Amino acid sequence: GNSVTQMEGPVTLSEEAFLTINCTYTATGYPSLFWYVQYPGEGLQLLLKATKADDKGSNKGFEATYRKETTSFHLEKGSVQVSDSAVYFCALRDLNDYKLSFGAGTTVTVRA
Amino acid sequence: DAGITQSPRHKVTETGTPVTLRCHQTENHRYMYWYRQDPGHGLRLIHYSYGVKDTDKGEVSDGYSVSRSKTEDFLLTLESATSSQTSVYFCAISEGQGFHEQYFGPGTRLTVT
């Protein structure tokens, strides 16, 4: 079956530091890959997505590239801000599937 | 923001009592989902719906039932709440499968004492 593994947190960074959150997946078909973000006390919001191999999703300074050869979708941001403090979830869904498979989430705290 | 509301937003209840959570959408999306979020587990799917009166089980459906009598409403019922059902519950909607994103509601924090 499908599964997502992402790096465990928590991750604590200083403002303007570089952020990487690793995500690898196992899938039987041709999944779309997603990063969701959850700010404190809120629901999940889509941060970015990629629907096929070598696609790069980007939003709000975050980027992730769909790497089929390494089954990875690592999230990166070059210079984080305090407002990026949140929980980040990697997820996948197969082409004809209704279900999103989520990783366990990575808590990121950015200090001023 | 997608028009999804959940009610109640917070609830404390006692073991053995029935509880119903409501999800309401104004987007006319076909698919609706109930997830629970627990530390270390990410989000796990409880039940989902692919149309009015069409529902199916997710990975953690034991102890939960759902109903969808209208496109806009999806109800989650805990027939007899247990402490293991203390969690944050999220509703989500989606236009379709595959690459279509899911939009999430604000969540309901349920505590079973």
PDB file of all heavy atoms in Angstrom, chain A residues 39-62:
ATOM      1  N   TYR A  39      -0.980  25.817  10.694  1.00  0.00           N
ATOM      2  CA  TYR A  39      -0.597  26.838  11.651  1.00  0.00           C
ATOM      3  C   TYR A  39      -1.330  26.581  12.970  1.00  0.00           C
ATOM      4  O   TYR A  39      -2.396  25.945  12.984  1.00  0.00           O
ATOM      5  CB  TYR A  39      -0.893  28.224  11.110  1.00  0.00           C
ATOM      6  CG  TYR A  39      -0.111  28.534   9.849  1.00  0.00           C
ATOM      7  CD1 TYR A  39      -0.750  28.537   8.610  1.00  0.00           C
ATOM      8  CD2 TYR A  39       1.251  28.777   9.898  1.00  0.00           C
ATOM      9  CE1 TYR A  39      -0.042  28.780   7.445  1.00  0.00           C
ATOM     10  CE2 TYR A  39       1.970  29.014   8.739  1.00  0.00           C
ATOM     11  CZ  TYR A  39       1.317  29.018   7.520  1.00  0.00           C
ATOM     12  OH  TYR A  39       2.025  29.248   6.367  1.00  0.00           O
ATOM     13  N   PRO A  40      -0.793  27.058  14.070  1.00  0.00           N
ATOM     14  CA  PRO A  40      -1.383  26.751  15.382  1.00  0.00           C
ATOM     15  C   PRO A  40      -2.877  27.054  15.441  1.00  0.00           C
ATOM     16  O   PRO A  40      -3.315  28.144  15.086  1.00  0.00           O
ATOM     17  CB  PRO A  40      -0.585  27.649  16.327  1.00  0.00           C
ATOM     18  CG  PRO A  40       0.734  27.813  15.654  1.00  0.00           C
ATOM     19  CD  PRO A  40       0.439  27.848  14.191  1.00  0.00           C
ATOM     20  N   GLY A  41      -3.644  26.076  15.873  1.00  0.00           N
ATOM     21  CA  GLY A  41      -5.078  26.249  16.072  1.00  0.00           C
ATOM     22  C   GLY A  41      -5.905  26.243  14.803  1.00  0.00           C
ATOM     23  O   GLY A  41      -7.112  26.543  14.848  1.00  0.00           O
ATOM     24  N   GLU A  42      -5.285  25.903  13.685  1.00  0.00           N
ATOM     25  CA  GLU A  42      -6.010  25.944  12.414  1.00  0.00           C
ATOM     26  C   GLU A  42      -6.051  24.577  11.750  1.00  0.00           C
ATOM     27  O   GLU A  42      -5.394  23.628  12.179  1.00  0.00           O
ATOM     28  CB  GLU A  42      -5.356  26.956  11.473  1.00  0.00           C
ATOM     29  CG  GLU A  42      -5.361  28.374  11.993  1.00  0.00           C
ATOM     30  CD  GLU A  42      -4.779  29.358  10.986  1.00  0.00           C
ATOM     31  OE1 GLU A  42      -4.528  28.969   9.833  1.00  0.00           O
ATOM     32  OE2 GLU A  42      -4.577  30.514  11.381  1.00  0.00           O
ATOM     33  N   GLY A  43      -6.825  24.508  10.667  1.00  0.00           N
ATOM     34  CA  GLY A  43      -6.837  23.310   9.843  1.00  0.00           C
ATOM     35  C   GLY A  43      -5.657  23.304   8.885  1.00  0.00           C
ATOM     36  O   GLY A  43      -4.829  24.208   8.899  1.00  0.00           O
ATOM     37  N   LEU A  44      -5.586  22.256   8.058  1.00  0.00           N
ATOM     38  CA  LEU A  44      -4.485  22.143   7.109  1.00  0.00           C
ATOM     39  C   LEU A  44      -4.769  22.973   5.862  1.00  0.00           C
ATOM     40  O   LEU A  44      -5.908  23.063   5.403  1.00  0.00           O
ATOM     41  CB  LEU A  44      -4.289  20.679   6.694  1.00  0.00           C
ATOM     42  CG  LEU A  44      -3.506  19.790   7.646  1.00  0.00           C
ATOM     43  CD1 LEU A  44      -4.281  19.496   8.904  1.00  0.00           C
ATOM     44  CD2 LEU A  44      -3.109  18.499   6.940  1.00  0.00           C
ATOM     45  N   GLN A  45      -3.695  23.545   5.328  1.00  0.00           N
ATOM     46  CA  GLN A  45      -3.786  24.288   4.072  1.00  0.00           C
ATOM     47  C   GLN A  45      -2.784  23.681   3.097  1.00  0.00           C
ATOM     48  O   GLN A  45      -1.674  23.335   3.493  1.00  0.00           O
ATOM     49  CB  GLN A  45      -3.405  25.753   4.258  1.00  0.00           C
ATOM     50  CG  GLN A  45      -4.169  26.516   5.289  1.00  0.00           C
ATOM     51  CD  GLN A  45      -3.568  27.891   5.505  1.00  0.00           C
ATOM     52  OE1 GLN A  45      -2.894  28.440   4.627  1.00  0.00           O
ATOM     53  NE2 GLN A  45      -3.798  28.460   6.668  1.00  0.00           N
ATOM     54  N   LEU A  46      -3.170  23.607   1.836  1.00  0.00           N
ATOM     55  CA  LEU A  46      -2.219  23.140   0.838  1.00  0.00           C
ATOM     56  C   LEU A  46      -1.120  24.177   0.665  1.00  0.00           C
ATOM     57  O   LEU A  46      -1.385  25.356   0.441  1.00  0.00           O
ATOM     58  CB  LEU A  46      -2.922  22.909  -0.496  1.00  0.00           C
ATOM     59  CG  LEU A  46      -2.008  22.411  -1.609  1.00  0.00           C
ATOM     60  CD1 LEU A  46      -1.563  20.979  -1.321  1.00  0.00           C
ATOM     61  CD2 LEU A  46      -2.704  22.487  -2.968  1.00  0.00           C
ATOM     62  N   LEU A  47       0.121  23.726   0.759  1.00  0.00           N
ATOM     63  CA  LEU A  47       1.257  24.603   0.560  1.00  0.00           C
ATOM     64  C   LEU A  47       1.739  24.526  -0.894  1.00  0.00           C
ATOM     65  O   LEU A  47       1.943  25.531  -1.547  1.00  0.00           O
ATOM     66  CB  LEU A  47       2.395  24.211   1.509  1.00  0.00           C
ATOM     67  CG  LEU A  47       3.660  25.058   1.474  1.00  0.00           C
ATOM     68  CD1 LEU A  47       3.366  26.517   1.759  1.00  0.00           C
ATOM     69  CD2 LEU A  47       4.684  24.513   2.461  1.00  0.00           C
ATOM     70  N   LEU A  48       1.909  23.309  -1.389  1.00  0.00           N
ATOM     71  CA  LEU A  48       2.305  23.115  -2.776  1.00  0.00           C
ATOM     72  C   LEU A  48       2.033  21.674  -3.172  1.00  0.00           C
ATOM     73  O   LEU A  48       1.814  20.822  -2.312  1.00  0.00           O
ATOM     74  CB  LEU A  48       3.771  23.482  -3.012  1.00  0.00           C
ATOM     75  CG  LEU A  48       4.819  22.844  -2.112  1.00  0.00           C
ATOM     76  CD1 LEU A  48       5.245  21.474  -2.608  1.00  0.00           C
ATOM     77  CD2 LEU A  48       6.045  23.752  -1.996  1.00  0.00           C
ATOM     78  N   LYS A  49       2.079  21.424  -4.493  1.00  0.00           N
ATOM     79  CA  LYS A  49       1.874  20.062  -4.952  1.00  0.00           C
ATOM     80  C   LYS A  49       2.625  19.830  -6.258  1.00  0.00           C
ATOM     81  O   LYS A  49       3.033  20.791  -6.934  1.00  0.00           O
ATOM     82  CB  LYS A  49       0.385  19.762  -5.152  1.00  0.00           C
ATOM     83  CG  LYS A  49      -0.259  20.463  -6.334  1.00  0.00           C
ATOM     84  CD  LYS A  49      -1.729  20.046  -6.455  1.00  0.00           C
ATOM     85  CE  LYS A  49      -2.367  20.658  -7.695  1.00  0.00           C
ATOM     86  NZ  LYS A  49      -3.825  20.300  -7.784  1.00  0.00           N
ATOM     87  N   ALA A  50       2.808  18.556  -6.586  1.00  0.00           N
ATOM     88  CA  ALA A  50       3.418  18.158  -7.851  1.00  0.00           C
ATOM     89  C   ALA A  50       2.710  16.894  -8.313  1.00  0.00           C
ATOM     90  O   ALA A  50       2.448  15.999  -7.508  1.00  0.00           O
ATOM     91  CB  ALA A  50       4.912  17.914  -7.688  1.00  0.00           C
ATOM     92  N   THR A  51       2.396  16.834  -9.580  1.00  0.00           N
ATOM     93  CA  THR A  51       1.554  15.742 -10.057  1.00  0.00           C
ATOM     94  C   THR A  51       2.291  14.718 -10.910  1.00  0.00           C
ATOM     95  O   THR A  51       1.725  13.671 -11.223  1.00  0.00           O
ATOM     96  CB  THR A  51       0.371  16.292 -10.857  1.00  0.00           C
ATOM     97  OG1 THR A  51       0.876  17.055 -11.949  1.00  0.00           O
ATOM     98  CG2 THR A  51      -0.502  17.173  -9.987  1.00  0.00           C
ATOM     99  N   LYS A  52       3.527  15.006 -11.295  1.00  0.00           N
ATOM    100  CA  LYS A  52       4.275  13.997 -12.043  1.00  0.00           C
ATOM    101  C   LYS A  52       5.765  14.160 -11.783  1.00  0.00           C
ATOM    102  O   LYS A  52       6.224  15.201 -11.284  1.00  0.00           O
ATOM    103  CB  LYS A  52       3.975  14.080 -13.531  1.00  0.00           C
ATOM    104  CG  LYS A  52       4.322  15.372 -14.199  1.00  0.00           C
ATOM    105  CD  LYS A  52       3.921  15.325 -15.667  1.00  0.00           C
ATOM    106  CE  LYS A  52       4.387  16.553 -16.416  1.00  0.00           C
ATOM    107  NZ  LYS A  52       3.764  17.783 -15.920  1.00  0.00           N
ATOM    108  N   ALA A  53       6.512  13.143 -12.172  1.00  0.00           N
ATOM    109  CA  ALA A  53       7.948  13.128 -11.921  1.00  0.00           C
ATOM    110  C   ALA A  53       8.633  14.363 -12.497  1.00  0.00           C
ATOM    111  O   ALA A  53       8.288  14.818 -13.594  1.00  0.00           O
ATOM    112  CB  ALA A  53       8.561  11.860 -12.498  1.00  0.00           C
ATOM    113  N   ASP A  54       9.570  14.906 -11.722  1.00  0.00           N
ATOM    114  CA  ASP A  54      10.398  16.071 -12.059  1.00  0.00           C
ATOM    115  C   ASP A  54       9.647  17.403 -11.959  1.00  0.00           C
ATOM    116  O   ASP A  54      10.246  18.459 -12.160  1.00  0.00           O
ATOM    117  CB  ASP A  54      11.035  15.940 -13.442  1.00  0.00           C
ATOM    118  CG  ASP A  54      11.949  14.734 -13.539  1.00  0.00           C
ATOM    119  OD1 ASP A  54      12.612  14.417 -12.527  1.00  0.00           O
ATOM    120  OD2 ASP A  54      11.981  14.092 -14.597  1.00  0.00           O
ATOM    121  N   ASP A  55       8.350  17.367 -11.653  1.00  0.00           N
ATOM    122  CA  ASP A  55       7.619  18.602 -11.398  1.00  0.00           C
ATOM    123  C   ASP A  55       8.163  19.259 -10.145  1.00  0.00           C
ATOM    124  O   ASP A  55       8.512  18.587  -9.177  1.00  0.00           O
ATOM    125  CB  ASP A  55       6.125  18.312 -11.171  1.00  0.00           C
ATOM    126  CG  ASP A  55       5.326  18.397 -12.442  1.00  0.00           C
ATOM    127  OD1 ASP A  55       5.912  18.637 -13.506  1.00  0.00           O
ATOM    128  OD2 ASP A  55       4.104  18.205 -12.357  1.00  0.00           O
ATOM    129  N   LYS A  56       8.205  20.583 -10.149  1.00  0.00           N
ATOM    130  CA  LYS A  56       8.559  21.328  -8.950  1.00  0.00           C
ATOM    131  C   LYS A  56       7.356  22.142  -8.525  1.00  0.00           C
ATOM    132  O   LYS A  56       6.823  22.927  -9.302  1.00  0.00           O
ATOM    133  CB  LYS A  56       9.742  22.258  -9.206  1.00  0.00           C
ATOM    134  CG  LYS A  56      10.123  23.105  -7.992  1.00  0.00           C
ATOM    135  CD  LYS A  56      11.218  24.107  -8.315  1.00  0.00           C
ATOM    136  CE  LYS A  56      12.569  23.455  -8.370  1.00  0.00           C
ATOM    137  NZ  LYS A  56      13.661  24.451  -8.496  1.00  0.00           N
ATOM    138  N   GLY A  57       6.932  21.927  -7.281  1.00  0.00           N
ATOM    139  CA  GLY A  57       5.896  22.755  -6.703  1.00  0.00           C
ATOM    140  C   GLY A  57       6.548  23.878  -5.913  1.00  0.00           C
ATOM    141  O   GLY A  57       7.606  23.695  -5.306  1.00  0.00           O
ATOM    142  N   SER A  58       5.914  25.056  -5.931  1.00  0.00           N
ATOM    143  CA  SER A  58       6.483  26.173  -5.181  1.00  0.00           C
ATOM    144  C   SER A  58       5.372  27.105  -4.722  1.00  0.00           C
ATOM    145  O   SER A  58       4.352  27.270  -5.403  1.00  0.00           O
ATOM    146  CB  SER A  58       7.500  26.941  -6.021  1.00  0.00           C
ATOM    147  OG  SER A  58       6.886  27.470  -7.169  1.00  0.00           O
ATOM    148  N   ASN A  59       5.595  27.715  -3.563  1.00  0.00           N
ATOM    149  CA  ASN A  59       4.620  28.646  -2.999  1.00  0.00           C
ATOM    150  C   ASN A  59       5.237  29.300  -1.773  1.00  0.00           C
ATOM    151  O   ASN A  59       5.886  28.631  -0.961  1.00  0.00           O
ATOM    152  CB  ASN A  59       3.332  27.906  -2.612  1.00  0.00           C
ATOM    153  CG  ASN A  59       2.236  28.840  -2.165  1.00  0.00           C
ATOM    154  OD1 ASN A  59       2.184  29.993  -2.576  1.00  0.00           O
ATOM    155  ND2 ASN A  59       1.339  28.339  -1.328  1.00  0.00           N
ATOM    156  N   LYS A  60       5.060  30.581  -1.614  1.00  0.00           N
ATOM    157  CA  LYS A  60       5.493  31.325  -0.432  1.00  0.00           C
ATOM    158  C   LYS A  60       6.982  31.117  -0.133  1.00  0.00           C
ATOM    159  O   LYS A  60       7.389  31.123   1.033  1.00  0.00           O
ATOM    160  CB  LYS A  60       4.677  30.915   0.795  1.00  0.00           C
ATOM    161  CG  LYS A  60       3.194  31.183   0.675  1.00  0.00           C
ATOM    162  CD  LYS A  60       2.469  30.790   1.953  1.00  0.00           C
ATOM    163  CE  LYS A  60       0.987  31.064   1.829  1.00  0.00           C
ATOM    164  NZ  LYS A  60       0.258  30.684   3.066  1.00  0.00           N
ATOM    165  N   GLY A  61       7.790  30.902  -1.145  1.00  0.00           N
ATOM    166  CA  GLY A  61       9.216  30.705  -0.951  1.00  0.00           C
ATOM    167  C   GLY A  61       9.611  29.266  -0.692  1.00  0.00           C
ATOM    168  O   GLY A  61      10.793  28.937  -0.650  1.00  0.00           O
ATOM    169  N   PHE A  62       8.630  28.381  -0.529  1.00  0.00           N
ATOM    170  CA  PHE A  62       8.880  26.952  -0.350  1.00  0.00           C
ATOM    171  C   PHE A  62       8.924  26.275  -1.725  1.00  0.00           C
ATOM    172  O   PHE A  62       8.216  26.659  -2.645  1.00  0.00           O
ATOM    173  CB  PHE A  62       7.778  26.306   0.492  1.00  0.00           C
ATOM    174  CG  PHE A  62       7.790  26.692   1.932  1.00  0.00           C
ATOM    175  CD1 PHE A  62       7.079  27.810   2.364  1.00  0.00           C
ATOM    176  CD2 PHE A  62       8.485  25.947   2.861  1.00  0.00           C
ATOM    177  CE1 PHE A  62       7.080  28.174   3.692  1.00  0.00           C
ATOM    178  CE2 PHE A  62       8.489  26.290   4.194  1.00  0.00           C
ATOM    179  CZ  PHE A  62       7.786  27.406   4.612  1.00  0.00           C
TER     180      PHE A  62
END
